Amino acid sequence: MDVSKPSVSNLCRYLSFLFVAYCVNESNENARLQRKRGVERFEVIYDWNYVNFTWLNADDYNLAIINGKYIPANNVISNVKFYRDKMYVALPRLFKGTPVTLAVMTNSGKYENNKLLKPYPSWKMNSLDHCAALQNVYSMEIDKYGVMWVLDGVRITNGTKCPPKLVLLDLKRQGNVVRYFDFPEHLSSVYGGFLTDLVIDEADGGFAYITESSDHDPGIIVYSKHLDKAWKIRDRSMFAEITASNFVVEGNQNSKLQNINGIALSPVPKNPNQERLIYYTPLIGVNMFAISNKLLKNQVLMRGDVWRRGIKYIGKREGVSDRMMIDNEGNMYYGILNLYGICKWNIFEPFITSKMIIHDQMEYIWPASFGMDNSGNLYVLSNSLNKFLQSKPPKSSDKSIIKVSRLYTGTRSYLYKNSR
Ligand SMILES: *[C@@H]1O[C@H](CO)[C@@H](O)[C@H](O)[C@H]1NC(C)=O
Ligand SMILES: *[C@@H]1O[C@H](CO)[C@@H](O)[C@H](O)[C@H]1NC(C)=O
Ligand SMILES: *[C@@H]1O[C@H](CO)[C@@H](O)[C@H](O)[C@H]1NC(C)=O
């Protein structure tokens, strides 16, 4: 512990009116200095050996253990998103014994291990018994107005007969549902549909661009909130690349082929008429592509074939990557699964300037997704998905396998305006 720091900041607090230039906000200054030295300081703030919940009572819990409704080692976190003082968590039902698919906890900002997750908005909304409830969630995003767009679209496990859907929950009103949209079978199937990620574009009545990662019909689904309608585009750039499939994480070679998965949107431009780019990449693949939001919003154009010329090739990564995210300054963050690393690239620069800012085989095991709060922090979730996919989640619970790390960047998410 550096004991001199608190006293300096205390001094600054008292004398700030005298030392205006010297006493800049200390955490901003530290982050700035670290960036200057080329060191990005991530710290693990939450981790789990296994995920557990705030059960209503001991009877419910005991019953769930006995009847297998809850098998601690089978619960994996696939996404984290932030709003006010809360962290929201997606828990896909990939294996038996996952009682909850969307949950919340307080983002205390202090290190915590095995923090209990609270079903969100309620236990009832996490029940498999009725299709109005959330069935199997892989991803969500929170817009600037505190509405969470929840993708209830994991239909690769035959765990539910309910169609894949998008559900909008108002976080300011206890998670009240403000919109349900069921995806028709030809956009995402009840049998094999797999909605993995989304970004929100708040202009023109609100749009979501959603990755559909199914084996049989991958593509990008565009949902217009204003029209309450969806359409889908398909292209070979959205398929897995077989040449990238044999990567190794923790000694195990991957054997699956997963299609388009990561998606990121460039920040709100200063000039509202300027186009924005939607970046996308298959999970099994090393190439990244992009397409203009103006093209995707044009449903009529999407029926033809000419739009395909608008697909831009962005570049080739050092390895395979799960999801990615862009901040309001245009910095894209993405993980490299086979190198246990996080990369950063500014989208206003050539792709070759992308660099790995951290890698660590202990901390970044399957960097799966990113989120940002409104205090200038970026979060990365490393969820050891490789362990779960091996179908042998560690039975002993003496090691944390799911981690959320935080990096102060001083920026906000792509939902906010770019300063250029
Ligand atoms: C310094 O900046 C951090 C991050 O933006 C913020 O959380 C904190 O409140 C600021 N402290 C002061 C004294 O302004
Ligand atoms: C899970 O959490 C409940 C409290 O909600 C607690 O009673 C129970 O012992 C916990 N189970 C495990 C395996 O940690
Ligand atoms: C799910 O059900 C469909 C239709 O009955 C079947 O074709 C498919 O193999 C099943 N998938 C799994 C993963 O069990």
Side-chain angles (χ1 to χ4, degrees):
M1 265 304 208
D2 184 352
V3 289
S4 69
K5 265 190 201 156
S7 60
V8 170
S9 75
N10 278 337
L11 188 69
C12 281
R13 216 160 287 146
Y14 287 116
L15 302 182
S16 57
F17 61 97
L18 290 174
F19 295 87
V20 189
Y22 171 70
C23 293
V24 291
N25 184 317
E26 210 185 318
S27 62
N28 289 338
E29 182 62 4
N30 285 345
R32 194 186 65 79
L33 285 176
Q34 269 158 24
R35 277 201 300 279
K36 216 171 142 191
R37 288 191 222 108
V39 182
E40 307 276 1
R41 212 176 63 180
F42 281 90
E43 53 182 334
V44 176
I45 55 164
Y46 309 119
D47 60 11
W48 287 267
N49 306 26
Y50 61 91
V51 173
N52 191 8
F53 303 93
T54 56
W55 296 86
L56 289 176
N57 53 56
D59 283 351
D60 268 19
Y61 171 74
N62 291 330
L63 187 63
I65 289 283
I66 291 164
N67 67 18
K69 193 181 150 199
Y70 173 48
I71 304 172
N74 284 0
N75 288 256
V76 63
I77 295 177
S78 62
N79 204 348
V80 292
K81 286 288 178 277
F82 299 81
Y83 185 68
R84 293 190 176 158
D85 67 333
K86 297 287 190 285
M87 181 171 99
Y88 296 87
V89 176
L91 301 132
R93 289 173 160 136
L94 297 177
F95 312 100
K96 283 198 193 95
T98 310
V100 171
T101 193
L102 185 68
V104 66
M105 60 175 248
T106 297
N107 180 19
S108 66
K110 296 188 299 276
Y111 173 76
E112 290 179 83
N113 172 245
N114 290 343
K115 177 124 169 166
L116 297 181
L117 300 179
K118 187 174 180 221
Y120 192 82
S122 61
W123 278 100
K124 202 170 157 228
M125 270 297 282
N126 276 272
S127 151
L128 284 165
D129 298 341
H130 54 111
C131 287
L134 300 168
Q135 303 293 301
N136 205 334
V137 175
Y138 208 76
S139 247
M140 66 288 193
E141 177 61 299
I142 300 169
D143 68 22
K144 280 197 309 203
Y145 308 99
V147 173
M148 181 158 60
W149 302 43
V150 184
L151 271 187
D152 178 8
V154 186
R155 298 296 184 269
I156 52 174
T157 60
N158 283 356
T160 174
K161 296 229 158 32
C162 307
K165 63 180 181 287
L166 178 68
V167 183
L168 271 54
L169 303 176
D170 188 348
L171 305 183
K172 302 180 299 313
R173 290 167 54 231
Q174 292 82 44
N176 269 8
V177 176
V178 291
R179 176 75 59 93
Y180 278 110
F181 180 81
D182 283 353
F183 291 97
E185 180 68 20
H186 69 277
L187 296 187
S188 188
S189 172
V190 188
Y191 306 104
F194 192 13
L195 304 175
T196 47
D197 205 11
L198 79 165
V199 284
I200 297 173
D201 176 349
E202 285 171 327
D204 304 317
F207 281 85
Y209 310 114
I210 301 163
T211 50
E212 219 281 336
S213 189
S214 59
D215 290 342
H216 60 287
D217 185 27
I220 295 178
I221 296 177
V222 180
Y223 170 74
S224 159
K225 188 180 170 202
H226 172 65
L227 299 174
D228 197 25
K229 243 173 115 173
W231 50 94
K232 185 172 186 176
I233 61 161
R234 299 154 171 101
D235 187 74
R236 50 184 292 199
S237 58
M238 297 166 190
F239 280 87
E241 298 163 18
I242 293 176
T243 48
S245 67
N246 291 331
F247 69 97
V248 172
V249 177
E250 291 193 302
N252 289 306
Q253 192 168 318
N254 171 73
S255 58
K256 289 185 65 134
L257 282 177
Q258 198 183 321
N259 295 318
I260 182 170
N261 169 81
I263 192 163
L265 177 58
S266 60
V268 174
K270 252 188 159 171
N271 169 359
N273 295 322
Q274 225 175 312
E275 70 171 11
R276 297 171 75 180
L277 286 181
I278 289 106
Y279 295 82
Y280 63 90
T281 178
L283 192 147
I284 305 302
V286 291
N287 293 302
M288 190 166 19
F289 303 88
I291 187 166
S292 160
N293 66 338
K294 290 199 171 164
L295 283 176
L296 290 189
K297 284 179 184 180
N298 188 334
Q299 192 193 357
V300 177
L301 187 65
M302 289 289 122
R303 290 201 194 108
D305 228 6
V306 184
W307 64 269
R308 235 175 269 281
R309 295 205 193 117
I311 294 177
K312 298 179 206 304
Y313 178 66
I314 300 298
K316 189 171 171 174
R317 287 184 308 259
E318 292 172 72
V320 293
S321 180
D322 201 327
R323 281 169 285 178
M324 50 199 190
M325 166 159 201
I326 300 175
D327 71 12
N328 70 320
E329 295 303 331
N331 299 302
M332 176 190 284
Y333 294 90
Y334 59 90
I336 299 281
L337 305 181
N338 42 314
L339 298 177
Y340 315 95
I342 313 289
C343 293
K344 176 180 173 182
W345 165 55
N346 191 286
I347 60 169
F348 302 113
E349 308 288 338
F351 190 67
I352 51 158
T353 60
S354 178
K355 61 170 198 275
M356 191 167 289
I357 53 173
I358 193 157
H359 66 104
D360 183 332
Q361 192 162 349
M362 303 306 288
E363 305 289 14
Y364 304 101
I365 301 167
W366 206 287
S369 75
F370 297 87
M372 291 196 84
D373 64 19
N374 272 343
S375 312
N377 294 303
L378 173 84
Y379 299 80
V380 53
L381 164 74
S382 306
N383 66 2
S384 301
L385 190 64
N386 55 301
K387 291 192 177 76
F388 290 91
L389 293 177
Q390 296 291 323
S391 297
K392 46 180 183 200
K395 291 286 172 275
S396 86
S397 51
D398 55 350
K399 245 180 78 187
S400 65
I401 57 165
I402 300 175
K403 297 174 195 252
V404 174
S405 314
R406 183 178 62 181
L407 171 71
Y408 181 76
T409 61
T411 58
R412 305 181 90 177
S413 86
Y414 68 95
L415 293 167
Y416 294 87
K417 216 173 238 169
N418 180 249
S419 62
R420 293 190 186 210

PDB file of all heavy atoms in Angstrom, residues 13 25-28 375-376 408, ligand 1:
ATOM      1  N   ARG A  13      -7.485  18.224  -1.394  1.00  0.00           N
ATOM      2  CA  ARG A  13      -8.884  18.558  -1.121  1.00  0.00           C
ATOM      3  C   ARG A  13      -8.959  19.892  -0.364  1.00  0.00           C
ATOM      4  O   ARG A  13      -9.778  20.740  -0.658  1.00  0.00           O
ATOM      5  CB  ARG A  13      -9.514  17.429  -0.297  1.00  0.00           C
ATOM      6  CG  ARG A  13     -10.947  17.177  -0.664  1.00  0.00           C
ATOM      7  CD  ARG A  13     -11.375  15.790  -0.214  1.00  0.00           C
ATOM      8  NE  ARG A  13     -10.810  14.723  -1.029  1.00  0.00           N
ATOM      9  CZ  ARG A  13     -10.458  13.531  -0.566  1.00  0.00           C
ATOM     10  NH1 ARG A  13     -10.596  13.240   0.715  1.00  0.00           N
ATOM     11  NH2 ARG A  13      -9.960  12.624  -1.359  1.00  0.00           N
ATOM     12  N   ASN A  25      -7.672  15.915 -10.623  1.00  0.00           N
ATOM     13  CA  ASN A  25      -8.273  14.700 -10.066  1.00  0.00           C
ATOM     14  C   ASN A  25      -7.259  13.550 -10.123  1.00  0.00           C
ATOM     15  O   ASN A  25      -6.771  13.173 -11.169  1.00  0.00           O
ATOM     16  CB  ASN A  25      -9.510  14.353 -10.898  1.00  0.00           C
ATOM     17  CG  ASN A  25     -10.240  13.174 -10.323  1.00  0.00           C
ATOM     18  OD1 ASN A  25      -9.633  12.189  -9.925  1.00  0.00           O
ATOM     19  ND2 ASN A  25     -11.539  13.284 -10.274  1.00  0.00           N
ATOM     20  N   GLU A  26      -6.965  13.030  -8.952  1.00  0.00           N
ATOM     21  CA  GLU A  26      -5.849  12.111  -8.822  1.00  0.00           C
ATOM     22  C   GLU A  26      -6.031  10.828  -9.631  1.00  0.00           C
ATOM     23  O   GLU A  26      -5.101  10.350 -10.259  1.00  0.00           O
ATOM     24  CB  GLU A  26      -5.681  11.760  -7.353  1.00  0.00           C
ATOM     25  CG  GLU A  26      -4.256  11.441  -6.987  1.00  0.00           C
ATOM     26  CD  GLU A  26      -4.182  10.983  -5.563  1.00  0.00           C
ATOM     27  OE1 GLU A  26      -4.866  11.585  -4.720  1.00  0.00           O
ATOM     28  OE2 GLU A  26      -3.481  10.001  -5.321  1.00  0.00           O
ATOM     29  N   SER A  27      -7.261  10.290  -9.625  1.00  0.00           N
ATOM     30  CA  SER A  27      -7.441   9.030 -10.340  1.00  0.00           C
ATOM     31  C   SER A  27      -7.343   9.252 -11.844  1.00  0.00           C
ATOM     32  O   SER A  27      -6.796   8.434 -12.573  1.00  0.00           O
ATOM     33  CB  SER A  27      -8.767   8.366  -9.978  1.00  0.00           C
ATOM     34  OG  SER A  27      -9.837   9.182 -10.354  1.00  0.00           O
ATOM     35  N   ASN A  28      -7.838  10.412 -12.306  1.00  0.00           N
ATOM     36  CA  ASN A  28      -7.679  10.742 -13.722  1.00  0.00           C
ATOM     37  C   ASN A  28      -6.199  10.823 -14.068  1.00  0.00           C
ATOM     38  O   ASN A  28      -5.758  10.307 -15.078  1.00  0.00           O
ATOM     39  CB  ASN A  28      -8.298  12.107 -14.047  1.00  0.00           C
ATOM     40  CG  ASN A  28      -9.812  12.049 -13.996  1.00  0.00           C
ATOM     41  OD1 ASN A  28     -10.394  10.979 -14.130  1.00  0.00           O
ATOM     42  ND2 ASN A  28     -10.427  13.188 -13.786  1.00  0.00           N
ATOM     43  N   SER A 375     -18.689   6.330 -15.194  1.00  0.00           N
ATOM     44  CA  SER A 375     -17.630   7.019 -14.459  1.00  0.00           C
ATOM     45  C   SER A 375     -16.281   6.804 -15.130  1.00  0.00           C
ATOM     46  O   SER A 375     -15.235   6.927 -14.485  1.00  0.00           O
ATOM     47  CB  SER A 375     -17.554   6.509 -13.017  1.00  0.00           C
ATOM     48  OG  SER A 375     -18.816   6.467 -12.441  1.00  0.00           O
ATOM     49  N   GLY A 376     -16.302   6.425 -16.396  1.00  0.00           N
ATOM     50  CA  GLY A 376     -15.043   6.289 -17.123  1.00  0.00           C
ATOM     51  C   GLY A 376     -14.361   4.948 -16.966  1.00  0.00           C
ATOM     52  O   GLY A 376     -13.163   4.826 -17.205  1.00  0.00           O
ATOM     53  N   TYR A 408      -9.694   1.919 -15.823  1.00  0.00           N
ATOM     54  CA  TYR A 408     -10.151   3.301 -15.947  1.00  0.00           C
ATOM     55  C   TYR A 408      -9.666   3.854 -17.285  1.00  0.00           C
ATOM     56  O   TYR A 408      -8.471   3.884 -17.558  1.00  0.00           O
ATOM     57  CB  TYR A 408      -9.637   4.159 -14.787  1.00  0.00           C
ATOM     58  CG  TYR A 408     -10.128   5.577 -14.912  1.00  0.00           C
ATOM     59  CD1 TYR A 408     -11.447   5.891 -14.588  1.00  0.00           C
ATOM     60  CD2 TYR A 408      -9.304   6.580 -15.411  1.00  0.00           C
ATOM     61  CE1 TYR A 408     -11.931   7.176 -14.750  1.00  0.00           C
ATOM     62  CE2 TYR A 408      -9.782   7.873 -15.568  1.00  0.00           C
ATOM     63  CZ  TYR A 408     -11.092   8.160 -15.234  1.00  0.00           C
ATOM     64  OH  TYR A 408     -11.585   9.421 -15.411  1.00  0.00           O
TER      65      TYR A 408
HETATM   66  C1  LIG B   1     -12.102  11.780  -9.758  1.00  0.00           C
HETATM   67  O1  LIG B   1     -12.505  11.097 -10.926  1.00  0.00           O
HETATM   68  C2  LIG B   1     -13.167   9.877 -10.661  1.00  0.00           C
HETATM   69  C3  LIG B   1     -13.417   9.198 -11.991  1.00  0.00           C
HETATM   70  O2  LIG B   1     -14.004  10.068 -12.921  1.00  0.00           O
HETATM   71  C4  LIG B   1     -14.470  10.167  -9.895  1.00  0.00           C
HETATM   72  O3  LIG B   1     -15.121   8.947  -9.595  1.00  0.00           O
HETATM   73  C5  LIG B   1     -14.131  10.902  -8.601  1.00  0.00           C
HETATM   74  O4  LIG B   1     -15.319  11.255  -7.955  1.00  0.00           O
HETATM   75  C6  LIG B   1     -13.296  12.146  -8.901  1.00  0.00           C
HETATM   76  N1  LIG B   1     -12.852  12.730  -7.627  1.00  0.00           N
HETATM   77  C7  LIG B   1     -12.892  14.025  -7.397  1.00  0.00           C
HETATM   78  C8  LIG B   1     -12.392  14.466  -6.042  1.00  0.00           C
HETATM   79  O5  LIG B   1     -13.316  14.860  -8.209  1.00  0.00           O
END
